[in-house]
Amino acid sequence: MATRVAFENTGEIGVFAALTNGYCLTGINRSENFYSVFEAELSAHIPVIHATVAGCRFVGRTTVGNRRGLLVPNTTTDQELAHLRNSLPDSVVVQRVEERLSALGNIVCCNDHVALVHPDIDRETEDVISDVLGVEVFRQIVGGQALVGSYCKFSNQGGMVHPRTTVEDIEELSSLLQVPLVAGTVNRGSDVLGGG
């Protein structure tokens, strides 16, 4: 079942929410409508958590995670980090990352097994991603775009890539990720898949 939701009149919900198989983060909104949609659909299965990162509401673009862990940028305050650790299940490791490319949701795309990362991330960040999220990490460009978290989205079951990704690249990525992939857009034609 599909449910329509907007964050303060924008359909770019991936900017303001982060969803994994183990939890959901939502940015704090002026009204409870955005949070309540996620809570109504998901709270029987996984925790749905109000959060900010560095005092900002765009938790979907600044964080990356899976059922094993959550990575947040070094701009995350101690109070925000404590809130996340206290709200998430004990099995989820929350780790602050020292990375100059701090919008982690834009530079990393992952599921519970594999992560694609921006070609220019620090080697230490790559190691943290592998250790905390328990995934195999590949430096990759998708559809000519280095911001793999913005232009590619996949789960343990399948995924979508930038519409200009070639058939050969889709087949190669699908083999690498071990999930079926399609090229497409979200929100009536946007190629920024991470936003939708």
Side-chain angles (χ1 to χ4, degrees):
M1 181 175 102
T3 302
R4 289 186 181 267
V5 64
F7 187 94
E8 296 180 4
N9 297 322
T10 179
E12 302 287 322
I13 64 168
V15 173
F16 303 100
L19 178 63
T20 73
N21 288 333
Y23 54 88
C24 176
L25 303 180
T26 64
I28 294 175
N29 192 351
R30 283 179 264 225
S31 77
E32 286 292 309
N33 293 346
F34 186 70
Y35 175 81
S36 65
V37 169
F38 286 95
E39 187 177 48
E41 295 294 326
L42 301 172
S43 65
H45 311 286
I46 59 174
V48 180
I49 302 155
H50 266 125
T52 59
V53 172
C56 299
R57 304 177 297 171
F58 38 84
V59 296
R61 295 299 80 214
T62 55
T63 66
V64 67
N66 63 13
R67 67 179 169 87
R68 292 183 199 91
L70 173 66
L71 301 175
V72 297
N74 61 349
T75 54
T76 306
T77 67
D78 291 341
Q79 183 179 359
E80 291 167 333
L81 196 62
H83 169 67
L84 290 168
R85 287 181 173 149
N86 292 334
S87 302
L88 289 168
D90 292 336
S91 61
V92 177
V93 176
V94 181
Q95 177 73 44
R96 192 183 277 146
V97 177
E98 297 288 331
E99 169 62 51
R100 65 182 177 80
L101 302 173
S102 62
L104 300 174
N106 287 341
I107 64 167
V108 179
C109 185
C110 71
N111 63 14
D112 292 334
H113 310 289
V114 179
L116 301 181
V117 299
H118 190 289
D120 296 336
I121 70 164
D122 295 335
R123 188 67 61 193
E124 296 80 21
T125 302
E126 184 177 341
D127 292 341
V128 170
I129 292 167
S130 179
D131 294 343
V132 173
L133 302 182
V135 295
E136 194 170 358
V137 179
F138 298 97
R139 291 174 184 262
Q140 190 73 40
I141 291 176
V142 176
Q145 305 292 330
L147 296 175
V148 291
S150 296
Y151 295 101
C152 175
K153 280 296 175 191
F154 59 92
S155 68
N156 295 337
Q157 284 77 42
M160 185 178 283
V161 294
H162 189 278
R164 291 199 178 109
T165 307
T166 66
V167 172
E168 294 81 20
D169 286 349
I170 292 172
E171 289 172 357
E172 182 181 323
L173 280 171
S174 183
S175 176
L176 179 72
L177 302 173
Q178 294 295 302
V179 297
L181 295 173
V182 297
T185 63
V186 295
N187 292 343
R188 298 181 181 176
S190 173
D191 59 2
V192 185
L193 304 177

